[in-house]
Coordinates of all heavy atoms in Angstrom, one line a residue:
M89 N 54.9 9.5 195.3 CA 55.4 10.5 194.4 C 54.3 10.7 193.3 O 54.0 11.7 192.9 CB 56.7 10.1 193.7 CG 57.9 10.2 194.7 SD 58.4 11.9 194.8 CE 59.6 11.8 195.9
A90 N 53.8 9.6 192.8 CA 52.9 9.6 191.7 C 51.4 9.9 192.1 O 50.5 9.9 191.3 CB 52.9 8.3 190.9
S91 N 51.3 10.1 193.4 CA 49.9 10.4 194.0 C 49.4 11.7 193.5 O 48.1 11.9 193.5 CB 50.0 10.3 195.5 OG 50.7 11.4 196.0
G92 N 50.2 12.6 193.1 CA 49.7 13.9 192.6 C 49.8 15.0 193.7 O 49.5 16.1 193.4
F93 N 50.1 14.6 194.9 CA 50.1 15.6 196.0 C 51.6 16.1 196.2 O 52.5 15.3 196.4 CB 49.6 15.0 197.3 CG 48.1 14.7 197.2 CD1 47.7 13.4 197.1 CD2 47.2 15.7 197.2 CE1 46.3 13.1 197.0 CE2 45.8 15.5 197.0 CZ 45.4 14.1 197.0
G94 N 51.8 17.4 196.3 CA 53.1 17.9 196.5 C 53.3 18.0 198.0 O 52.5 17.7 198.8
Y95 N 54.5 18.5 198.3 CA 54.9 18.6 199.8 C 54.0 19.6 200.5 O 53.7 19.5 201.6 CB 56.4 19.0 199.9 CG 57.3 17.9 199.5 CD1 58.2 18.1 198.4 CD2 57.4 16.8 200.2 CE1 59.1 17.1 198.1 CE2 58.2 15.7 199.9 CZ 59.1 15.9 198.8 OH 60.0 14.9 198.5
H96 N 53.6 20.7 199.8 CA 52.9 21.8 200.4 C 51.5 21.8 199.9 O 50.8 22.9 199.9 CB 53.6 23.1 200.2 CG 55.0 23.1 200.6 ND1 55.4 23.1 201.9 CD2 56.2 23.1 199.9 CE1 56.7 23.1 202.0 NE2 57.2 23.1 200.8
G97 N 50.9 20.7 199.5 CA 49.6 20.6 199.0 C 49.6 20.9 197.5 O 50.6 21.3 196.9
G98 N 48.5 20.7 196.8 CA 48.5 21.0 195.4 C 49.2 19.8 194.7 O 49.4 18.7 195.2
V99 N 49.4 20.0 193.4 CA 50.0 18.9 192.6 C 51.5 18.9 192.7 O 52.1 19.9 193.0 CB 49.6 19.0 191.1 CG1 48.1 18.8 190.9 CG2 50.0 20.3 190.5
S100 N 52.1 17.7 192.6 CA 53.6 17.6 192.7 C 54.2 18.1 191.4 O 53.5 18.3 190.4 CB 54.0 16.2 192.9 OG 53.7 15.4 191.8
R101 N 55.5 18.4 191.4 CA 56.2 18.9 190.2 C 56.2 18.0 189.1 O 56.3 18.4 187.9 CB 57.6 19.3 190.6 CG 58.5 18.1 190.9 CD 59.9 18.6 191.1 NE 60.8 17.4 191.1 CZ 61.3 16.8 192.1 NH1 61.1 17.4 193.3 NH2 62.0 15.7 192.0
C102 N 56.1 16.7 189.3 CA 56.1 15.7 188.2 C 54.8 15.1 187.9 O 54.7 14.1 187.1 CB 57.1 14.6 188.7 SG 58.8 15.1 189.0
F103 N 53.7 15.6 188.4 CA 52.4 15.1 188.2 C 52.0 15.1 186.7 O 51.4 14.1 186.2 CB 51.3 15.8 189.0 CG 50.0 15.2 188.9 CD1 49.8 13.9 189.4 CD2 48.9 15.8 188.3 CE1 48.5 13.3 189.3 CE2 47.7 15.2 188.2 CZ 47.5 14.0 188.7
A104 N 52.4 16.1 186.0 CA 52.1 16.2 184.6 C 52.7 15.1 183.8 O 52.1 14.5 182.9 CB 52.5 17.6 184.0
Y105 N 54.0 14.8 184.1 CA 54.7 13.7 183.5 C 54.1 12.3 183.8 O 54.0 11.4 183.0 CB 56.2 13.7 183.9 CG 56.9 14.9 183.4 CD1 57.3 15.9 184.2 CD2 57.2 15.1 182.0 CE1 58.0 17.0 183.8 CE2 57.9 16.2 181.6 CZ 58.2 17.2 182.4 OH 58.9 18.3 182.0
W106 N 53.6 12.2 185.1 CA 53.0 11.0 185.5 C 51.7 10.8 184.7 O 51.3 9.7 184.3 CB 52.7 11.0 187.0 CG 51.8 9.8 187.4 CD1 50.5 9.9 187.8 CD2 52.2 8.5 187.5 NE1 50.1 8.6 188.1 CE2 51.1 7.7 187.9 CE3 53.4 7.8 187.2 CZ2 51.1 6.4 188.0 CZ3 53.4 6.4 187.4 CH2 52.3 5.7 187.8
Q107 N 50.9 11.9 184.5 CA 49.7 11.8 183.7 C 50.0 11.4 182.3 O 49.2 10.5 181.7 CB 48.9 13.1 183.8 CG 48.2 13.4 185.1 CD 47.5 14.7 185.0 OE1 47.9 15.6 184.4 NE2 46.3 14.7 185.7
E108 N 51.0 11.9 181.7 CA 51.4 11.5 180.3 C 51.7 10.1 180.3 O 51.3 9.4 179.3 CB 52.6 12.4 179.8 CG 52.2 13.8 179.5 CD 53.5 14.5 179.0 OE1 54.4 13.9 178.5 OE2 53.5 15.8 179.2
F109 N 52.5 9.6 181.2 CA 52.9 8.2 181.3 C 51.6 7.3 181.5 O 51.5 6.3 180.7 CB 53.9 7.9 182.3 CG 54.1 6.5 182.6 CD1 54.7 5.6 181.7 CD2 53.6 5.9 183.8 CE1 54.8 4.3 181.9 CE2 53.8 4.5 184.0 CZ 54.4 3.7 183.1
S110 N 50.8 7.6 182.4 CA 49.6 6.8 182.7 C 48.7 6.8 181.5 O 48.1 5.7 181.2 CB 48.9 7.2 184.0 OG 48.5 8.5 183.9
K111 N 48.5 7.9 180.8 CA 47.7 7.9 179.7 C 48.2 7.0 178.6 O 47.5 6.3 178.0 CB 47.6 9.4 179.2 CG 46.7 9.6 177.9 CD 46.7 11.0 177.5 CE 46.0 11.2 176.2 NZ 46.1 12.6 175.7
C112 N 49.5 7.1 178.3 CA 50.2 6.3 177.3 C 50.0 4.8 177.7 O 49.7 4.0 176.8 CB 51.6 6.7 177.1 SG 52.5 5.6 176.0
Y113 N 50.3 4.5 178.9 CA 50.3 3.1 179.4 C 48.9 2.5 179.3 O 48.7 1.3 178.9 CB 50.7 3.1 180.9 CG 51.0 1.7 181.3 CD1 52.2 1.0 181.0 CD2 50.1 1.0 182.2 CE1 52.4 -0.3 181.4 CE2 50.3 -0.3 182.6 CZ 51.5 -0.9 182.3 OH 51.8 -2.2 182.7
A114 N 47.8 3.3 179.5 CA 46.5 2.8 179.4 C 46.0 2.6 178.0 O 45.2 1.8 177.7 CB 45.5 3.8 180.1
Q115 N 46.6 3.4 177.1 CA 46.1 3.3 175.7 C 46.9 2.3 174.8 O 46.5 2.0 173.7 CB 46.3 4.7 175.0 CG 45.3 5.7 175.6 CD 45.5 7.1 175.0 OE1 46.4 7.3 174.3 NE2 44.5 8.0 175.3
T116 N 48.0 1.9 175.3 CA 48.9 1.0 174.4 C 48.8 -0.4 174.8 O 48.4 -0.8 176.0 CB 50.3 1.5 174.5 OG1 51.1 0.7 173.5 CG2 51.0 1.3 175.9
D117 N 49.0 -1.3 173.9 CA 49.1 -2.7 174.1 C 50.5 -3.2 174.6 O 50.6 -4.2 175.3 CB 48.6 -3.5 172.9 CG 47.2 -3.3 172.5 OD1 46.4 -3.0 173.5 OD2 46.8 -3.4 171.3
V118 N 51.5 -2.4 174.1 CA 52.9 -2.8 174.4 C 53.4 -1.7 175.3 O 53.7 -0.5 174.8 CB 53.7 -2.9 173.1 CG1 55.1 -3.3 173.4 CG2 53.1 -3.9 172.1
P119 N 53.7 -2.0 176.6 CA 54.2 -0.9 177.5 C 55.5 -0.3 177.1 O 55.9 0.8 177.5 CB 54.3 -1.7 178.8 CG 53.4 -2.8 178.7 CD 53.4 -3.2 177.3
S120 N 56.3 -1.0 176.3 CA 57.6 -0.5 175.9 C 57.5 0.7 174.9 O 58.4 1.5 174.7 CB 58.5 -1.6 175.2 OG 57.8 -2.0 174.0
Q121 N 56.3 0.9 174.4 CA 56.0 2.1 173.5 C 56.0 3.4 174.4 O 56.1 4.5 173.8 CB 54.7 2.0 172.8 CG 54.7 0.9 171.7 CD 53.4 0.8 171.0 OE1 52.4 1.3 171.5 NE2 53.4 0.1 169.9
C122 N 55.9 3.3 175.7 CA 55.8 4.4 176.5 C 57.2 4.8 177.2 O 57.3 5.4 178.2 CB 54.8 4.2 177.7 SG 53.1 3.9 177.0
S123 N 58.3 4.3 176.6 CA 59.6 4.5 177.2 C 60.0 6.0 177.2 O 60.6 6.4 178.2 CB 60.7 3.7 176.4 OG 60.7 4.2 175.1
A124 N 59.5 6.8 176.3 CA 59.8 8.2 176.3 C 59.1 8.9 177.5 O 59.7 9.7 178.2 CB 59.4 8.9 175.0
Q125 N 57.9 8.5 177.8 CA 57.2 9.1 178.9 C 57.8 8.6 180.2 O 57.9 9.4 181.2 CB 55.7 8.7 178.8 CG 54.9 9.4 177.8 CD 55.1 8.8 176.4 OE1 55.7 7.8 176.2 NE2 54.4 9.4 175.4
V126 N 58.2 7.4 180.3 CA 58.8 6.9 181.5 C 60.1 7.6 181.7 O 60.4 8.0 182.9 CB 59.1 5.3 181.4 CG1 60.0 4.9 182.5 CG2 57.8 4.6 181.4
E127 N 60.9 7.8 180.7 CA 62.2 8.5 180.8 C 61.9 10.0 181.3 O 62.7 10.4 182.2 CB 62.9 8.5 179.4 CG 64.3 9.0 179.5 CD 64.9 8.9 178.1 OE1 64.8 7.8 177.5 OE2 65.6 9.8 177.7
D128 N 61.0 10.7 180.7 CA 60.7 12.0 181.2 C 60.2 12.1 182.7 O 60.7 12.9 183.4 CB 59.5 12.6 180.3 CG 60.0 12.9 178.9 OD1 61.2 13.0 178.7 OD2 59.1 13.1 178.1
Y129 N 59.4 11.1 183.0 CA 58.9 11.1 184.4 C 60.0 10.8 185.4 O 60.2 11.5 186.4 CB 57.8 10.0 184.6 CG 57.3 9.9 186.0 CD1 56.7 10.9 186.6 CD2 57.4 8.7 186.6 CE1 56.2 10.8 187.9 CE2 57.0 8.5 187.9 CZ 56.3 9.6 188.6 OH 55.9 9.5 189.8
L130 N 60.9 9.8 185.1 CA 62.0 9.5 186.0 C 63.0 10.6 186.0 O 63.6 10.9 187.1 CB 62.7 8.2 185.5 CG 61.8 6.9 185.7 CD1 62.5 5.7 185.2 CD2 61.4 6.7 187.2
E131 N 63.2 11.3 184.9 CA 64.1 12.5 184.9 C 63.6 13.6 185.8 O 64.3 14.2 186.6 CB 64.3 13.0 183.5 CG 65.1 14.3 183.4 CD 66.6 14.1 184.0 OE1 67.1 13.0 184.0 OE2 67.1 15.2 184.4
C132 N 62.3 13.8 185.8 CA 61.7 14.8 186.6 C 61.8 14.4 188.1 O 62.1 15.2 188.9 CB 60.2 14.9 186.3 SG 59.3 16.1 187.3
L133 N 61.7 13.1 188.4 CA 61.8 12.7 189.8 C 63.2 12.7 190.3 O 63.5 13.2 191.4 CB 61.3 11.2 189.9 CG 59.8 11.0 189.9 CD1 59.5 9.5 190.0 CD2 59.1 11.7 191.0
H134 N 64.2 12.2 189.5 CA 65.5 12.0 190.0 C 66.6 13.0 189.5 O 67.7 13.0 190.0 CB 66.0 10.6 189.8 CG 65.0 9.6 190.3 ND1 64.8 9.4 191.7 CD2 64.2 8.7 189.7 CE1 63.9 8.5 191.9 NE2 63.5 8.0 190.7
H135 N 66.3 13.6 188.4 CA 67.3 14.6 187.7 C 68.6 14.0 187.4 O 69.6 14.6 187.5 CB 67.5 15.8 188.6 CG 66.3 16.5 189.0 ND1 65.6 17.3 188.2 CD2 65.6 16.6 190.2 CE1 64.5 17.8 188.8 NE2 64.5 17.4 190.0
T136 N 68.6 12.7 186.9 CA 69.8 12.0 186.6 C 70.6 12.6 185.4 O 71.8 12.8 185.5 CB 69.6 10.5 186.3 OG1 68.6 10.4 185.3 CG2 69.1 9.8 187.6
K137 N 69.9 13.0 184.4 CA 70.5 13.6 183.2 C 71.0 15.0 183.6 O 72.1 15.4 183.1 CB 69.6 13.7 182.0 CG 69.3 12.3 181.4 CD 68.3 12.5 180.3 CE 67.9 11.1 179.7 NZ 66.9 11.3 178.6
E138 N 70.2 15.7 184.3 CA 70.6 17.1 184.7 C 71.9 17.0 185.6 O 72.8 17.8 185.4 CB 69.5 17.7 185.5 CG 69.8 19.1 185.9 CD 68.6 19.8 186.7 OE1 67.6 19.1 186.9 OE2 68.8 20.9 187.2
I139 N 71.9 16.1 186.5 CA 73.1 16.0 187.4 C 74.3 15.6 186.6 O 75.4 16.1 186.8 CB 72.8 15.0 188.5 CG1 71.8 15.6 189.5 CG2 74.1 14.6 189.3 CD1 71.2 14.6 190.5
A140 N 74.1 14.6 185.6 CA 75.3 14.2 184.8 C 75.8 15.3 184.0 O 77.0 15.5 183.8 CB 74.8 13.0 183.9
R141 N 74.9 16.1 183.4 CA 75.3 17.3 182.6 C 76.1 18.3 183.5 O 77.1 18.9 183.1 CB 74.1 17.9 181.9 CG 74.5 19.1 181.1 CD 73.3 19.6 180.3 NE 73.6 20.9 179.8 CZ 74.1 21.2 178.6 NH1 74.5 20.2 177.8 NH2 74.3 22.4 178.2
A142 N 75.5 18.6 184.7 CA 76.2 19.5 185.6 C 77.6 19.0 186.0 O 78.5 19.8 186.1 CB 75.3 19.7 186.9
K143 N 77.7 17.7 186.2 CA 79.1 17.2 186.5 C 80.0 17.3 185.3 O 81.2 17.6 185.5 CB 78.9 15.7 186.9 CG 78.4 15.5 188.3 CD 78.3 14.0 188.6 CE 77.8 13.8 190.0 NZ 77.7 12.4 190.4
A144 N 79.5 17.1 184.1 CA 80.3 17.3 182.9 C 80.8 18.7 182.8 O 82.0 19.0 182.4 CB 79.6 16.8 181.7
V145 N 79.9 19.6 183.0 CA 80.2 21.1 182.9 C 81.3 21.4 183.9 O 82.2 22.1 183.6 CB 78.9 21.9 183.0 CG1 79.3 23.4 183.2 CG2 78.1 21.7 181.8
K146 N 81.1 20.9 185.1 CA 82.0 21.2 186.2 C 83.4 20.6 185.9 O 84.4 21.3 186.1 CB 81.5 20.7 187.5 CG 82.3 21.0 188.7 CD 81.7 20.5 190.0 CE 82.6 20.8 191.2 NZ 82.1 20.3 192.5
A147 N 83.4 19.4 185.4 CA 84.7 18.8 185.1 C 85.4 19.5 184.0 O 86.6 19.7 184.0 CB 84.5 17.3 184.6
E148 N 84.7 20.0 183.0 CA 85.3 20.8 181.9 C 85.8 22.1 182.4 O 86.9 22.6 182.1 CB 84.3 21.0 180.8 CG 84.8 21.9 179.6 CD 85.9 21.2 178.8 OE1 86.0 19.9 178.9 OE2 86.6 21.9 178.1
F149 N 85.1 22.8 183.3 CA 85.5 24.0 183.9 C 86.8 23.8 184.7 O 87.7 24.6 184.6 CB 84.4 24.6 184.9 CG 84.8 25.8 185.6 CD1 84.8 27.0 184.9 CD2 85.2 25.8 186.9 CE1 85.2 28.2 185.6 CE2 85.5 26.9 187.6 CZ 85.5 28.1 186.9
I150 N 86.8 22.7 185.5 CA 88.0 22.4 186.3 C 89.2 22.1 185.4 O 90.3 22.6 185.6 CB 87.8 21.3 187.3 CG1 86.8 21.7 188.4 CG2 89.1 20.7 187.9 CD1 86.3 20.6 189.2
R151 N 89.0 21.4 184.3 CA 90.0 21.0 183.3 C 90.6 22.3 182.7 O 91.8 22.5 182.6 CB 89.5 20.1 182.3 CG 90.6 19.6 181.4 CD 90.0 18.8 180.2 NE 89.3 19.6 179.3 CZ 89.8 20.4 178.4 NH1 91.1 20.5 178.3 NH2 89.1 21.2 177.5
K152 N 89.7 23.2 182.3 CA 90.2 24.5 181.7 C 90.9 25.3 182.7 O 91.9 26.0 182.4 CB 89.0 25.3 181.1 CG 88.5 24.7 179.8 CD 87.5 25.7 179.2 CE 87.1 25.2 177.8 NZ 86.2 26.0 177.2
A153 N 90.4 25.4 184.0 CA 91.1 26.1 185.0 C 92.5 25.6 185.3 O 93.5 26.3 185.4 CB 90.3 26.2 186.3
E154 N 92.6 24.3 185.3 CA 94.0 23.6 185.5 C 94.9 23.9 184.4 O 96.1 24.2 184.5 CB 93.8 22.1 185.7 CG 93.2 21.8 187.1 CD 93.0 20.3 187.2 OE1 93.1 19.6 186.2 OE2 92.6 19.8 188.3
H155 N 94.3 23.9 183.1 CA 95.1 24.2 181.9 C 95.6 25.7 182.0 O 96.8 25.9 181.7 CB 94.3 23.9 180.7 CG 95.1 24.3 179.4 ND1 96.1 23.5 179.0 CD2 94.9 25.3 178.5 CE1 96.6 24.0 177.9 NE2 95.9 25.1 177.6
Q156 N 94.7 26.6 182.3 CA 95.1 28.0 182.4 C 96.1 28.2 183.5 O 97.1 29.0 183.4 CB 93.9 28.9 182.7 CG 93.0 29.0 181.4 CD 91.7 29.7 181.7 OE1 91.4 30.0 182.9 NE2 91.0 30.1 180.7
A157 N 96.0 27.5 184.6 CA 97.0 27.6 185.7 C 98.3 27.1 185.3 O 99.4 27.6 185.6 CB 96.5 26.8 186.9
H158 N 98.3 26.0 184.5 CA 99.6 25.4 184.0 C 100.2 26.4 183.0 O 101.4 26.6 183.0 CB 99.3 24.1 183.3 CG 100.5 23.4 182.7 ND1 101.5 22.9 183.6 CD2 100.9 23.2 181.5 CE1 102.4 22.3 182.8 NE2 102.1 22.5 181.5
E159 N 99.4 27.0 182.1 CA 99.9 28.0 181.2 C 100.4 29.2 182.0 O 101.4 29.8 181.6 CB 98.8 28.4 180.2 CG 98.4 27.3 179.2 CD 99.6 26.9 178.3 OE1 100.3 27.8 177.9 OE2 99.7 25.7 178.0
G160 N 99.8 29.5 183.0 CA 100.2 30.6 183.9 C 101.6 30.4 184.5 O 102.5 31.2 184.6
R161 N 101.8 29.1 184.9 CA 103.1 28.7 185.4 C 104.2 28.8 184.4 O 105.3 29.2 184.6 CB 103.0 27.3 186.0 CG 102.5 27.3 187.4 CD 102.7 26.0 188.1 NE 101.3 25.5 188.4 CZ 100.7 24.5 187.9 NH1 101.3 23.6 187.1 NH2 99.5 24.2 188.3
K162 N 103.9 28.4 183.1 CA 104.8 28.6 182.0 C 105.2 30.0 181.8 O 106.4 30.4 181.7 CB 104.2 28.0 180.7 CG 104.2 26.5 180.6 CD 103.7 26.1 179.3 CE 103.5 24.6 179.1 NZ 102.9 24.3 177.9
A163 N 104.2 30.9 181.8 CA 104.5 32.3 181.7 C 105.3 32.8 182.8 O 106.2 33.7 182.6 CB 103.2 33.1 181.5
A164 N 105.0 32.4 184.0 CA 105.8 32.8 185.2 C 107.2 32.4 185.1 O 108.2 33.1 185.5 CB 105.1 32.3 186.5
D165 N 107.5 31.1 184.6 CA 108.8 30.7 184.4 C 109.6 31.5 183.4 O 110.8 31.8 183.6 CB 108.8 29.2 184.0 CG 108.4 28.3 185.1 OD1 108.4 28.7 186.3 OD2 108.0 27.1 184.8
I166 N 108.9 31.9 182.3 CA 109.6 32.7 181.3 C 109.9 34.1 181.9 O 111.0 34.7 181.7 CB 108.7 32.8 180.1 CG1 108.6 31.5 179.4 CG2 109.2 33.9 179.1 CD1 107.6 31.4 178.2
L167 N 108.9 34.6 182.6 CA 109.1 36.0 183.2 C 110.3 35.9 184.3 O 111.0 36.9 184.5 CB 107.9 36.5 183.9 CG 106.7 36.8 182.9 CD1 105.5 37.2 183.7 CD2 107.1 37.9 182.0
A168 N 110.5 34.8 184.9 CA 111.5 34.7 186.0 C 112.9 34.6 185.3 O 113.9 34.8 186.0 CB 111.2 33.5 186.8
D169 N 113.0 34.3 184.0 CA 114.3 34.1 183.4 C 115.1 35.5 183.3 O 116.3 35.5 183.4 CB 114.2 33.5 182.0 CG 113.9 32.1 182.0 OD1 114.1 31.5 183.1 OD2 113.4 31.5 181.0
G170 N 114.4 36.5 183.0 CA 115.1 37.8 182.9 C 114.1 39.0 183.2 O 112.9 38.9 182.9
V171 N 114.7 40.0 183.6 CA 113.9 41.2 184.0 C 113.4 41.9 182.8 O 112.3 42.3 182.7 CB 114.8 42.2 184.9 CG1 114.0 43.4 185.2 CG2 115.2 41.5 186.1
I172 N 114.3 42.1 181.8 CA 113.9 42.8 180.6 C 112.8 42.1 179.8 O 111.8 42.6 179.4 CB 115.1 43.0 179.6 CG1 116.1 43.9 180.3 CG2 114.6 43.6 178.3 CD1 117.4 44.1 179.5
V173 N 112.9 40.7 179.8 CA 111.8 39.9 179.1 C 110.6 40.0 180.0 O 109.5 40.1 179.4 CB 112.3 38.4 179.0 CG1 111.2 37.6 178.5 CG2 113.5 38.4 178.1
G174 N 110.7 40.1 181.3 CA 109.6 40.2 182.2 C 108.8 41.5 182.0 O 107.6 41.5 182.2
V175 N 109.5 42.5 181.7 CA 108.8 43.8 181.5 C 108.1 43.9 180.2 O 107.1 44.6 180.0 CB 109.9 45.0 181.6 CG1 109.2 46.3 181.3 CG2 110.5 45.0 182.9
G176 N 108.5 43.1 179.2 CA 107.8 43.0 178.0 C 108.4 43.9 176.9 O 107.9 44.1 175.9
L177 N 109.6 44.5 177.2 CA 110.2 45.4 176.2 C 110.9 44.6 175.1 O 110.9 45.0 174.0 CB 111.3 46.3 176.9 CG 110.8 47.2 178.0 CD1 111.9 47.9 178.7 CD2 109.8 48.2 177.4
I178 N 111.4 43.4 175.4 CA 112.1 42.6 174.4 C 111.5 41.2 174.6 O 111.4 40.6 175.6 CB 113.6 42.5 174.7 CG1 114.2 43.9 174.7 CG2 114.2 41.6 173.7 CD1 115.7 43.9 175.0
S179 N 111.1 40.7 173.4 CA 110.5 39.3 173.5 C 111.6 38.3 173.6 O 112.8 38.6 173.3 CB 109.7 39.0 172.2 OG 110.5 39.0 171.1
R180 N 111.3 37.1 174.0 CA 112.3 36.1 174.3 C 113.1 35.8 173.0 O 114.3 35.6 173.1 CB 111.7 34.9 174.8 CG 112.6 33.8 175.3 CD 111.9 32.9 176.2 NE 112.8 31.8 176.8 CZ 113.6 32.0 177.8 NH1 113.7 33.1 178.4 NH2 114.4 31.0 178.2
G181 N 112.5 35.7 171.9 CA 113.2 35.4 170.6 C 114.2 36.5 170.2 O 115.3 36.3 169.8
E182 N 113.8 37.8 170.4 CA 114.7 38.9 170.1 C 115.9 39.0 171.1 O 117.0 39.4 170.7 CB 114.0 40.3 170.2 CG 112.9 40.4 169.1 CD 112.1 41.7 169.3 OE1 112.5 42.5 170.1 OE2 111.1 41.8 168.6
A183 N 115.7 38.6 172.3 CA 116.8 38.6 173.3 C 117.9 37.6 172.9 O 119.1 37.9 173.1 CB 116.2 38.3 174.7
A184 N 117.5 36.5 172.3 CA 118.5 35.5 171.9 C 119.3 36.0 170.7 O 120.5 35.7 170.6 CB 117.8 34.2 171.6
H185 N 118.6 36.7 169.8 CA 119.3 37.2 168.6 C 120.3 38.3 168.9 O 121.2 38.5 168.2 CB 118.3 37.7 167.5 CG 117.5 36.5 167.0 ND1 118.0 35.5 166.3 CD2 116.1 36.3 167.0 CE1 117.1 34.6 165.9 NE2 115.9 35.1 166.3
S186 N 120.0 39.1 169.9 CA 120.8 40.3 170.2 C 122.1 39.9 170.9 O 123.1 40.7 170.9 CB 120.1 41.3 171.0 OG 119.8 40.7 172.3
K187 N 122.2 38.7 171.4 CA 123.4 38.3 172.1 C 124.5 37.9 171.2 O 124.7 37.5 170.3 CB 123.1 37.2 173.1 CG 122.4 37.8 174.3 CD 122.2 36.7 175.3 CE 121.5 37.2 176.5 NZ 121.3 36.3 177.6

């Protein structure tokens, strides 16, 4: 991967990140100072943060869809109680006061 050759020739997609890391690693006495470059390079290779974010977005979307479906069921239950309420001519609170 770090060789610099892509699948179809030319440089790989992460070669620039590898160069940043190797430059930092060569210039520093303490390799832990290059943790940001390592993190960028590994993210480019494996997309772990991107995948985690996509999973979080998908989970939130599913949670909202389930909530809306649950709210939809509540509305359907109210609409099933009476025809006049279902048409929207009389709200549920006004129907109780008129009786």
Side-chain angles (χ1 to χ4, degrees):
M89 290 279 176
S91 65
F93 295 106
Y95 288 119
H96 305 290
V99 296
S100 66
R101 69 172 192 258
C102 301
F103 185 66
Y105 294 107
W106 171 253
Q107 284 183 325
E108 287 180 23
F109 166 69
S110 62
K111 179 181 173 183
C112 175
Y113 191 78
Q115 291 178 350
T116 187
D117 294 331
V118 182
S120 62
Q121 291 178 345
C122 299
S123 62
Q125 287 83 359
V126 170
E127 190 174 315
D128 290 343
Y129 177 62
L130 291 177
E131 174 62 25
C132 180
L133 286 177
H134 304 293
H135 304 287
T136 52
K137 290 180 185 177
E138 180 182 356
I139 292 169
R141 181 174 165 89
K143 285 181 180 180
V145 168
K146 183 178 179 181
E148 180 66 17
F149 177 77
I150 290 171
R151 188 188 66 77
K152 282 187 176 182
E154 287 174 351
H155 178 71
Q156 288 175 349
H158 182 68
E159 291 297 319
R161 276 190 240 118
K162 284 182 185 176
D165 291 341
I166 292 171
L167 293 176
D169 285 344
V171 177
I172 297 175
V173 175
V175 176
L177 298 175
I178 302 174
S179 67
R180 189 161 180 81
E182 293 175 12
H185 292 297
S186 64
K187 288 184 179 181

